[in-house]
Amino acid sequence: GNVEYFILSGGGGGGNNQGGGGGGGGYLTGTTDVSSQAYTITVGVNGAAGYYPSVPATDGFSSSALELTATGGGRGGNCSAGGDGGSGGGGSTCGGTYRAGGLGTAGQGYDGRGWSADPDGGAGGGGAGGVGVGVQETPGTGLSSSIGGTSVCRAGGGGGGTGQGGTECGIATCGGGNGSCNGAGGAGTANTGG
């Protein structure tokens, strides 16, 4: 028979302090034919946050069902480029060197943003609904689904941390965690792929 599916992976961990935001989890939805058999379902969890300057964040973990895989979100950079994933993590600059955002996976999410400014700082992660718009710390938004009966926005990217002495920090939506405003960043919302 034909079934509707919604598969969401874990979001990437964000970089600490002036780090890049984690990418939103890979987001897959659609319909597919199934047969009368057992299917293995794997639910991915979010990646771990990094700690400035030497402990990198980790990518989110992938989820799979019905022979389809949603790729885990890319990690946010800690003085490094963002990680590739379902949506890419944001890049983070130390010492004024440009760091690129990670690449998103086609059909699952968007690229993270790169950081090109001086002073140092972190860029927003990509989301399932797009790349961030505006200041570089702003992350991408997610997508809404009503598969559970109520519309919920999920798989938003994490906000980038403000540069040294800066006043901007990325404000996330759709489950993503806010960027650090000269302190600790916010965690993503549970079960949203942010």
Side-chain angles (χ1 to χ4, degrees):
N2 191 261
V3 298
E4 182 179 9
Y5 64 83
F6 174 63
I7 306 171
L8 182 65
S9 74
N16 185 253
N17 197 358
Q18 58 205 39
Y27 187 108
L28 288 174
T29 185
T31 60
T32 190
D33 290 323
V34 297
S35 59
S36 179
Q37 60 174 296
Y39 289 92
T40 299
I41 296 175
T42 301
V43 180
V45 298
N46 289 347
Y51 292 92
Y52 175 84
S54 58
V55 179
T58 62
D59 297 331
F61 291 82
S62 298
S63 297
S64 61
L66 308 176
E67 301 181 3
L68 299 167
T69 298
T71 304
R75 67 189 180 280
N78 257 6
C79 300
S80 63
D84 300 337
S87 288
S92 166
T93 290
C94 296
T97 302
Y98 175 78
R99 304 289 185 177
L103 301 177
T105 301
Q108 299 189 22
Y110 286 80
D111 298 347
R113 305 181 77 180
W115 184 267
S116 58
D118 188 13
D120 300 337
V131 177
V133 176
V135 297
Q136 293 175 101
E137 294 93 342
T138 303
T141 189
L143 289 173
S144 295
S145 169
S146 300
I147 195 167
T150 301
S151 180
V152 178
C153 193
R154 303 178 176 91
T162 186
Q164 294 174 349
T167 58
E168 300 284 356
C169 47
I171 304 302
T173 60
C174 301
N178 291 333
S180 163
C181 292
N182 294 310
T189 304
N191 303 316
T192 65

